[in-house]
Amino acid sequence: MAAGSDHGLKRIVWKRIQDTIITDCRNSEVWKILILDTFTTKLLSSCCKMSDLMSEKITIVEDLFKSREPVLEMKAIYFMTPTAKCVDAFIADFKPKPKYKAAYVYFTDYCPDDLFNKMRQACGKHIRVCKEINISFMPQEARVFTCDNPGAFRSIYSPKSQDKMKTLETLANQLVTLCATLDEYPGIRYKKDGNMENAKVLAEMVDRKLAAHYQLDDSGKKKEKTQAQLLIVDRGFDPVTPILHELTYQAMAYDLIDIENDTYKYKARDGLEKQALLNEDDMLWVNLRHQHIAEVSAQIPKMVKEISASKKQPDGKITISNLAQMMKKMPAFRKQMTEKTIHLQLAEDCMKHFANNVEKLCKAEQDLAVGADVEGLKVKDPMRTLLPVLLNPYSKHDKIRAVLLYIFSLNGTTEENLNKLIEHVKIEGEPEYILNWKELGVPIITTPSFFSRKPSRREHSQEERYSLSRWIPTIKDVMEDVVENKLDTKEWPHQSECPAAWNGSGAVSARQKHKGSTQDDRRTGSRLIIFVIGGISFSEMRCAYEVTHAMKTCEVIIGSSHILTPTVLLDDIKALSKGPMESFTLEVETKA
């Protein structure tokens, strides 16, 4: 296992796979082939390496949907999602002639009876094992999971969606497999919202499905509720956090740098294109990702200097070109310096953006989000804060973000004022960037007489160190309130009760400055699982680590349909006006 995966969700998922798929196959001395679909390929890649599979006598990993040569002397392990497409591909491997000696079939989730019967009738004599192992979520990080479904955003929030309930049902099934993998039967609460019913509907679905899942327990006993809570909340609950420019390393990098599939591509000083994977195999990334960019920028050169000193290198200004020269001269030194070089480059890239325009934007954004300036004086006229952003040559997306923060700070603005703002930003042809937030239940247009009460926040005092990082994600208030048993039951009704273990005794504030330590793996208390419908930001992911670190009695896990960056969210918001998703059309055609 990779070093960074020794803790948290990835370790738990890999152990589950070992205890089911691997254990079943261990008894056989025959080398085996592993066949995966798109989802299970990503799932396995997230929690194990090829060397882990090789040590279990799995020599070949293949794509279920690609053409493969028969290997009749080998047994095949099929790890796949229970869909018609996967089952049909499986049957094709054994009809008319079998490609493998035998099949061990493992579904990520419950397989519908019609698909199971179709598979059994077509090639039942070749199947040695057929199991459902209940892992249909993606362990993204030690404390973060996703449902690997960015399309859920449009399905749930688009007024033209035709598969909203089906999507919520799928998310509910995935949440059940998360709870089963964690061996938790949590009490469920949801954020009450007068305009939106999504959280309530999903809470009811999960509650019903969990009861059915644990009713059918293999041991024949009905599982009792565990010391865990599951909170479900809609994305509109906090529209500010995913729009702000964040200055902690991970959130800043994913916002400002073009990072796709966690891969950072950069040009080295020798002109060669290089790339690095930003994941928990890189322990320096794990240690730095939640720290402020100012700390990261100071720490990495310091680390390089320490290594340089140990290799009797002359101290001097650390630059990428200096490092390149040192690494050429000393092959052994090269390996030790690689990850430091990657993060020195990434931090430099982030700081270039910061110096160019982000620093000025952050001042206005923080004042609008917090409702007060750095001195703590209330912002009486938000328009005066916004105006410099509109008058400067910032990008369209940056101006849209500032305008949205202005509107959120007022809980909506007049139609006349909104039209002026849209003209200023020059998005007359695409006002959906702003108008479509109403589909998330966020007030955009209000009348002057309309009064909307902004939710109260926890007392923040002067705990935050950086003037351009004063905003604290709302979900962090929720996490702390749950652990301290202070969450308002009117705003957060119980869909199902959980044991009264949440007394908050001995709790300390999670607003203490978070040390960039490796993941804590203490399971001395309760688990809090938070699911945000419609995507989570990197800032909100960070909160799960910070609260777990500070509140020693509770482990926090956060998840969503997918992970958001500000650009992704704005583009998703704009796209809500479009028609039904293509995937829906394809499904209809398949059934026809």
Side-chain angles (χ1 to χ4, degrees):
M1 279 297 292
S5 304
D6 288 345
H7 301 277
L9 279 175
K10 293 189 176 191
R11 175 185 57 77
I12 293 167
V13 168
W14 174 234
K15 188 173 187 308
R16 176 93 170 177
I17 291 169
Q18 284 179 304
D19 291 347
T20 50
I21 299 175
I22 304 297
T23 300
D24 283 349
C25 304
R26 242 176 218 155
N27 300 330
S28 169
E29 288 300 313
V30 181
W31 290 88
K32 292 165 284 289
I33 184 169
L34 178 62
I35 298 168
L36 307 170
D37 64 18
T38 309
F39 177 82
T40 52
T41 299
K42 285 179 74 174
L43 178 63
L44 265 183
S45 299
S46 75
C47 64
C48 78
K49 291 182 174 180
M50 190 63 203
S51 57
D52 298 314
L53 299 175
M54 288 283 285
S55 66
E56 303 294 348
K57 288 189 162 50
I58 294 168
T59 52
I60 305 168
V61 179
E62 294 272 24
D63 186 329
L64 175 63
F65 303 114
K66 286 186 178 171
S67 177
R68 286 167 272 113
E69 289 297 315
V71 191
L72 293 171
E73 68 274 14
M74 292 183 81
K75 295 179 180 179
I77 302 166
Y78 288 81
F79 184 25
M80 58 191 185
T81 47
T83 63
K85 184 181 177 184
C86 287
V87 168
D88 287 345
F90 168 78
I91 291 170
D93 278 359
F94 291 89
K95 287 280 186 178
K97 289 182 178 180
K99 285 185 177 178
Y100 308 105
K101 187 176 182 180
Y104 293 73
V105 181
Y106 299 88
F107 288 113
T108 56
D109 200 355
Y110 172 76
C111 181
D113 290 345
D114 59 330
L115 290 180
F116 178 77
N117 290 331
K118 181 181 181 181
M119 189 172 69
R120 188 181 61 181
Q121 288 165 12
C123 46
K125 65 180 180 179
H126 300 289
I127 300 172
R128 297 287 177 271
V129 172
C130 186
K131 288 185 178 178
E132 297 152 347
I133 68 168
N134 289 310
I135 309 175
S136 60
F137 63 93
M138 195 68 65
Q140 200 74 29
E141 291 183 0
R143 307 208 176 284
V144 182
F145 69 94
T146 73
C147 295
D148 195 38
N149 187 2
F153 188 87
R154 192 195 289 183
S155 296
I156 292 169
Y157 294 115
S158 172
K160 298 177 181 179
S161 171
Q162 298 174 35
D163 61 345
K164 176 177 174 175
M165 294 308 289
K166 181 183 172 185
T167 302
L168 287 170
E169 191 94 29
T170 302
L171 294 177
N173 288 333
Q174 290 174 289
L175 278 170
V176 169
T177 72
L178 172 81
C179 294
T181 300
L182 295 171
D183 195 27
E184 297 284 15
Y185 189 2
I188 303 171
R189 298 174 76 170
Y190 62 92
K191 179 69 173 76
K192 193 173 182 181
D193 188 322
N195 302 316
M196 307 295 285
E197 291 284 306
N198 298 326
K200 184 175 188 291
V201 170
L202 185 59
E204 289 169 350
M205 285 180 175
V206 175
D207 188 36
R208 186 177 70 248
K209 289 173 183 290
L210 270 174
H213 175 81
Y214 284 121
Q215 191 76 40
L216 301 170
D217 196 6
D218 293 340
S219 63
K221 292 181 181 178
K222 185 179 178 182
K223 187 177 177 73
E224 297 297 322
K225 291 274 186 177
T226 56
Q227 304 288 346
Q229 281 200 61
L230 168 62
L231 265 59
I232 297 174
V233 60
D234 235 313
R235 179 63 270 169
F237 157 75
D238 175 10
V240 172
T241 296
I243 288 299
L244 277 172
H245 278 92
E246 247 276 1
L247 298 182
T248 48
Y249 188 36
Q250 182 184 37
M252 187 179 190
Y254 277 79
D255 181 7
L256 303 178
I257 313 297
D258 188 20
I259 298 171
E260 285 187 32
N261 299 318
D262 300 322
T263 303
Y264 166 51
K265 295 180 181 178
Y266 62 99
K267 188 171 279 190
R269 284 294 187 267
D270 56 11
L272 293 175
E273 292 282 344
K274 295 196 174 183
Q275 60 182 46
L277 202 55
L278 302 175
N279 64 18
E280 290 179 331
D281 291 342
D282 178 351
M283 288 312 294
L284 184 57
W285 171 248
V286 171
N287 290 332
L288 294 175
R289 63 186 171 185
H290 299 144
Q291 293 186 33
H292 195 278
I293 190 64
E295 295 166 14
V296 174
S297 297
Q299 274 192 57
I300 300 172
K302 188 178 173 186
M303 289 176 187
V304 173
K305 282 185 179 181
E306 286 170 0
I307 297 172
S308 302
S310 71
K311 298 292 178 186
K312 296 185 178 177
Q313 289 295 306
D315 281 338
K317 189 177 178 188
I318 301 299
T319 65
I320 298 292
S321 54
N322 286 353
L323 283 178
Q325 291 302 315
M326 289 156 68
M327 288 165 73
K328 280 177 188 173
K329 293 174 186 173
M330 304 168 66
F333 183 63
R334 188 180 306 138
K335 187 178 179 183
Q336 194 178 8
M337 289 298 252
T338 300
E339 65 179 22
K340 312 289 190 299
T341 310
I342 291 163
H343 291 290
L344 190 60
Q345 181 73 57
L346 182 55
E348 277 184 13
D349 284 355
C350 288
M351 287 307 292
K352 280 176 194 168
H353 284 277
F354 180 74
N356 287 344
N357 55 22
V358 173
E359 184 175 8
K360 293 171 188 169
L361 281 167
C362 282
K363 167 78 170 69
E365 289 181 358
Q366 290 292 315
D367 289 357
L368 289 169
V370 176
D373 65 17
V374 70
E375 304 297 330
L377 297 173
K378 186 178 178 183
V379 174
K380 292 179 180 176
D381 184 2
M383 182 54 79
R384 287 185 67 180
T385 306
L386 175 64
L387 213 51
V389 177
L390 297 180
L391 297 176
N392 271 291
Y394 295 118
S395 71
K396 178 179 76 176
H397 269 65
D398 283 342
K399 288 188 177 185
I400 291 170
R401 288 163 74 169
V403 166
L404 285 168
L405 290 168
Y406 164 80
I407 294 169
F408 299 158
S409 73
L410 298 170
N411 268 4
T413 187
T414 63
E415 191 166 0
E416 182 186 1
N417 194 29
L418 181 61
N419 290 334
K420 287 178 184 174
L421 291 169
I422 287 169
E423 280 178 40
H424 264 296
V425 185
K426 295 184 171 58
I427 53 167
E428 293 94 334
E430 42 193 4
E432 298 88 359
Y433 277 119
I434 295 172
L435 294 175
N436 282 354
W437 282 86
K438 69 180 186 293
E439 307 299 347
L440 276 66
V442 179
I444 297 297
I445 298 175
T446 54
T447 58
S449 60
F450 179 80
F451 175 73
S452 175
R453 183 176 67 85
K454 292 193 82 172
S456 58
R457 297 292 307 268
R458 284 176 71 103
E459 188 60 47
H460 299 159
S461 69
Q462 300 300 313
E463 291 156 340
E464 291 307 305
R465 179 178 164 189
Y466 295 97
S467 62
L468 299 183
S469 300
R470 287 172 283 135
W471 171 261
I472 294 165
T474 311
I475 205 74
K476 193 167 186 180
D477 285 2
V478 174
M479 291 173 183
E480 292 181 329
D481 283 347
V482 174
V483 177
E484 294 174 1
N485 204 20
K486 293 178 180 175
L487 203 60
D488 189 328
T489 52
K490 289 180 182 176
E491 289 187 15
W492 294 85
H494 289 268
Q495 175 62 37
S496 64
E497 295 289 338
C498 63
W502 299 78
N503 56 22
S505 60
V508 293
S509 174
R511 302 204 188 287
Q512 295 174 359
K513 184 172 165 292
H514 178 60
K515 296 180 177 65
S517 59
T518 55
Q519 300 95 341
D520 298 301
D521 198 33
R522 300 173 299 243
R523 276 293 285 128
T524 55
S526 307
R527 250 196 198 112
L528 170 61
I529 304 164
I530 293 183
F531 187 78
V532 183
I533 301 171
I536 46 170
S537 67
F538 287 99
S539 313
E540 290 162 325
M541 288 160 55
R542 186 186 74 246
C543 294
Y545 294 87
E546 291 174 343
V547 175
T548 300
H549 180 80
M551 307 280 197
K552 310 297 183 188
T553 58
C554 179
E555 179 190 8
V556 183
I557 291 170
I558 191 167
S560 184
S561 48
H562 62 303
I563 295 171
L564 295 168
T565 63
T567 302
V568 165
L569 179 56
L570 287 179
D571 290 344
D572 283 351
I573 289 281
K574 184 191 173 192
L576 290 178
S577 304
K578 295 179 182 175
M581 292 182 68
E582 288 179 18
S583 61
F584 179 78
T585 309
L586 290 171
E587 283 172 22
V588 171
E589 287 172 1
T590 305
K591 289 175 185 175

